[in-house]
Amino acid sequence: KAGVTQTPRYLIKTRGQQVTLSCSPISGHRSVSWYQQTPGQGLQFLFEYFSETQRNKGNFPGRFSGRQFSNSRSEMNVSTLELGDSALYLCASSKDDLPGGYTFGSGTRLTVV
Amino acid sequence: SQQGEEDPQALSIQEGENATMNCSYKTSINNLQWYRQNSGRGLVHLILIRSNEREKHSGRLRVTLDTSKKSSSLLITASRAADTASYFCATDATGRRALTFGSGTRLQVQP
């Protein structure tokens, strides 16, 4: 079956711009989570959505937002980009069977210049 | 912020040897998971151990969990060059569905 699909794979943006990243989960998975990975801070949880509702949110500023659609696809948006937002953004999906492992996408590498 | 630390930060071994990585965490957990990441790519789920389990096996992987010490270890037996990657432990705290990752161990297996 198809894995978690993230688009685009690579993105270069300028400071102050905004960006939208997309994630299509595995069919049947209703939970979608987002993570940011940087060399300095490592892997950090951004937020998690289930049935179009944000259930959990990490410690990130309000410039980071997301949403989930009725087909479970999710988008995350970062407004007013800063150089420090350069990172690999990873999406993960899971069934809502607690506890369970997560299936990650290959990520979107965002570079802010 | 990260849940805890992994050690060693880097490990270099020869093919056929065993590799052991350790993970410590800070809060109560529902389960602990191990993931592998090849350079700059997504994470691959390896194994999950629940808080009421002490040991789990999957192929060449063996994971132990000591909740009293808030620590876990991942053992990869008979390592292969293809095992070269970064390995992360991640905890799923009780009641949350947000993984908190350790800092990772970079494993290099020399052919």
Side-chain angles (χ1 to χ4, degrees):
Chain A
K1 60 182 178 183
V4 177
T5 303
Q6 289 189 248
T7 56
R9 286 295 313 279
Y10 302 92
L11 206 48
I12 300 176
K13 289 286 188 178
T14 305
R15 271 182 303 175
Q17 287 186 315
Q18 67 93 26
V19 67
T20 299
L21 312 182
S22 179
C23 172
S24 293
I26 289 175
S27 178
H29 285 194
R30 296 190 296 170
S31 170
V32 175
S33 305
W34 289 89
Y35 292 82
Q36 181 197 63
Q37 185 177 27
T38 61
Q41 298 298 315
L43 282 151
Q44 296 189 89
F45 170 74
L46 281 157
F47 25 66
E48 187 252 352
Y49 287 87
F50 177 79
S51 290
E52 303 178 64
T53 300
Q54 185 183 89
R55 293 199 297 191
N56 288 297
K57 188 177 190 303
N59 189 26
F60 278 82
R63 299 185 297 106
F64 291 81
S65 63
R67 59 178 176 167
Q68 186 181 33
F69 302 95
S70 58
N71 62 356
S72 293
R73 189 177 71 86
S74 178
E75 289 181 347
M76 67 163 282
N77 184 78
V78 187
S79 62
T80 320
L81 285 165
E82 300 176 0
L83 295 179
D85 297 332
S86 295
L88 180 66
Y89 289 89
L90 293 163
C91 167
S93 77
S94 72
K95 295 182 179 179
D96 199 37
D97 303 316
L98 278 175
Y102 296 79
T103 303
F104 280 80
S106 296
T108 293
R109 184 163 296 282
L110 171 66
T111 301
V112 182
V113 297
Chain B
S1 62
Q2 292 176 323
Q3 167 75 282
E5 295 300 316
E6 289 179 58
D7 106 270
Q9 289 189 332
L11 181 60
S12 182
I13 59 174
Q14 297 293 317
E15 224 171 13
E17 294 181 336
N18 295 341
T20 300
M21 290 159 256
N22 302 295
C23 165
S24 63
Y25 58 92
K26 297 175 182 173
T27 64
S28 296
I29 62 170
N30 181 294
N31 65 77
L32 185 144
Q33 304 173 34
W34 285 89
Y35 288 84
R36 183 186 74 227
Q37 184 178 39
N38 290 90
S39 180
R41 308 282 299 189
L43 298 160
V44 175
H45 180 257
L46 296 175
I47 195 165
L48 178 153
I49 186 166
R50 295 177 173 76
S51 59
N52 61 353
E53 298 175 312
R54 291 297 166 258
E55 188 172 312
K56 202 161 183 180
H57 296 254
S58 176
R60 294 184 296 114
L61 306 179
R62 173 179 168 256
V63 169
T64 61
L65 178 65
D66 186 335
T67 53
S68 67
K69 295 181 179 178
K70 290 187 169 61
S71 67
S72 174
S73 68
L74 171 68
L75 168 67
I76 303 174
T77 60
S79 62
R80 305 164 181 168
D83 294 328
T84 294
S86 291
Y87 291 80
F88 295 90
C89 68
T91 54
D92 198 342
T94 304
R96 295 199 74 205
R97 290 189 59 79
L99 294 179
T100 304
F101 284 87
S103 50
T105 293
R106 292 188 307 279
L107 173 66
Q108 176 77 42
V109 181
Q110 308 285 352

